[in-house]
Amino acid sequence: MFYYLVKIGSAFFLALLIYLVGAQQGCSPVNFAPVGILSCEEFPEGANCQARTLTFSCEEKPEQAKCRTPNNPSDNRIGLPPQHYCEISHELSLGKVDILFVIDNSSSMAKEHRSLAKQFNSFLNDLRDVQYHIAVITTDISSSPNNPTRNKYYQDGRFVPIGNRKYLKNENLGYRPDLQTVEDFKKAIEREETKNCDLLNQPREATDGYDRLYQERESAIPCPSSDERGIYAINLALKNSNHSSFFRPDSHLLIVILSDEDVRSGEEYYNQEGFENYEPEFEDRAESLIQNFSRFSNGTRSFSVFSIIIPPGDRGCLDKQNRDRARGPGSGRGYYGREYAFLSYPDRELKSYGNILSGDVISICSKNYGYQLRKVAVSAQTSRIPLACDNPESIDLYVNNSKVRSHQEIEGRILIIQPKSDIPLSARLKVREICPLDQGQSCN
């Protein structure tokens, strides 16, 4: 695992260096800005946020780190300047998560769609106590060079209909999902255009009346693009005003990507002669998604990515995917999902772009996706709370005005409460932070 992470980190550093050099030649620049203490105006409506400035002398608060002199901690602290702090209290409802499935709908993915769809009954049942929104988009972008012009409802980050709904939401907490909901969800994942094109890629001798079948199917449902652009599609989904009710201001965004190829098939593909038009644009890169989400969420929300891909460096999975393609229906090669892996395992440099948290990389070669979806369900049950400052002096949590304890950790500016905590997912949680103020900072 350590070797694998180092390998990803090295590849990412090289890709970032190349990207930054390209930025000097006309690409969109990357702006790094330090984040100070959030004001109450930056928290979403309904947070009941309150802020006030606290001032303590070192005599009153000798335990504060800033009151100690490094050379002689026993020095008399009388006469040292008072320390200023910001007390920020805000509230939020737990158990909210927006889950976005990003499905590679190219012709080589029909088998993986079926494997994933088979597990949705158990998956939705695992989420019965979670206030979820679930939507589905594809990796298909209409501006790709070889993309058909018809059936654009599944392109450009548009939500794929789930039955007669734009997205699923759990309106009956604590109850198992009904069978119709499960079936609608499965149909949204098992893409018709993928199955259609998968059949068309069979050898001619394998199907009677092949030419007639091809004409009938191709005229009814054209093949999707083989140009997989999952990150670009997510960026477009965030910017689509028709999706505003899906992305809630007080919930964590959990993205699940299923693809057997990297963005635009990776460097092995677009570096070939004649395929220069397939080189990733800025909106195809991991950095663009983090920046766009940070603007979209005003810096108060977080997101994480679970990538069901060919893990970078897993030669066995890569070979298996390519053997499977050669033996039966489906076409195209598999490629390591490097760009998606960067999002799932963000390093410090990538996290500096915004509130992205660690997700996971899961092998697409698994025979049963039940284990993978259980990991996603556990992540969906995890509470993630935005913090007002980077290094709070203290954090107190209250439910119904009673102070509570939890198993928690801090990642970036997000407090993470694990599912097995004593704090129920249905709770309305009050968070009280004490943040140190630097000279000249204000608290409001």
Side-chain angles (χ1 to χ4, degrees), residues 260-262 265-266 268-269 272 310 318 322 333-337:
D260 65 347
E261 299 193 28
D262 198 12
S265 298
E268 297 93 334
Y269 186 82
Q272 299 180 74
I310 302 177
L318 180 67
N322 290 328
R333 292 187 56 197
Y335 295 89
Y336 294 133

Side-chain angles (χ1 to χ4, degrees), residues 30-269:
V30 177
N31 297 317
F32 293 94
V35 181
I37 293 179
L38 292 175
S39 69
C40 280
E41 294 178 354
E42 294 171 286
F43 280 89
E45 292 184 13
N48 296 329
C49 183
Q50 297 178 344
R52 63 175 179 151
T53 300
L54 305 177
T55 302
F56 300 117
S57 68
C58 287
E59 297 95 311
E60 295 173 308
K61 284 283 187 178
E63 73 277 9
Q64 299 295 346
K66 291 186 177 181
C67 286
R68 300 193 182 102
T69 56
N71 295 329
N72 188 356
S74 64
D75 280 350
N76 191 327
R77 301 181 183 90
I78 297 176
L80 290 176
Q83 303 298 312
H84 303 287
Y85 301 89
C86 184
E87 180 189 72
I88 293 186
S89 299
H90 60 96
E91 298 179 3
L92 73 161
S93 297
L94 299 183
K96 286 187 177 182
V97 62
D98 302 330
I99 306 175
L100 182 64
F101 280 86
V102 185
I103 303 300
D104 178 353
N105 62 332
S106 60
S107 61
S108 63
M109 289 294 296
K111 182 182 71 174
E112 286 77 13
H113 293 178
R114 289 193 299 271
S115 296
L116 193 66
K118 286 179 181 178
Q119 306 300 326
F120 277 134
N121 190 10
S122 296
F123 176 65
L124 292 180
N125 184 52
D126 287 340
L127 298 181
R128 61 186 180 275
D129 294 322
V130 177
Q131 300 177 58
Y132 62 70
H133 283 182
I134 300 178
V136 178
I137 64 173
T138 75
T139 59
D140 215 346
I141 301 297
S142 61
S143 60
S144 292
N146 65 344
N147 209 327
T149 58
R150 290 170 290 170
N151 285 340
K152 288 190 176 181
Y153 76 87
Y154 56 72
Q155 298 175 352
D156 297 336
R158 295 180 178 90
F159 287 171
V160 173
I162 303 177
N164 59 358
R165 293 162 285 190
K166 288 197 301 183
Y167 57 86
L168 295 182
K169 53 184 177 180
N170 191 9
E171 297 176 315
N172 297 307
L173 292 179
Y175 292 90
R176 295 180 64 92
D178 62 85
L179 293 179
Q180 187 59 54
T181 297
V182 174
E183 287 304 311
D184 290 343
F185 198 5
K186 288 181 178 180
K187 290 179 181 178
I189 295 295
E190 295 189 74
R191 305 301 314 131
E192 286 296 323
E193 67 273 11
T194 303
K195 290 189 288 187
N196 171 67
C197 200
D198 191 31
L199 289 173
L200 295 181
N201 284 323
Q202 293 186 50
R204 285 179 177 266
E205 61 271 15
T207 307
D208 294 334
Y210 179 89
D211 291 335
R212 177 180 55 79
L213 175 65
Y214 185 96
Q215 292 175 1
E216 289 176 354
R217 287 188 172 274
E218 208 282 332
S219 62
I221 307 177
C223 287
S225 171
S226 59
D227 185 14
E228 293 87 344
R229 308 182 72 177
I231 295 176
Y232 203 141
I234 301 169
N235 279 323
L236 290 176
L238 289 173
K239 298 174 182 179
N240 192 325
S241 60
N242 292 327
H243 301 165
S244 58
S245 62
F246 173 82
F247 298 106
R248 292 169 289 183
D250 55 350
S251 63
H252 177 76
L253 175 61
L254 180 56
I255 299 172
V256 183
I257 299 172
L258 174 68
S259 180
D260 65 347
E261 299 193 28
D262 198 12
V263 169
R264 310 208 83 170
S265 298
E267 294 181 4
E268 297 93 334
Y269 186 82

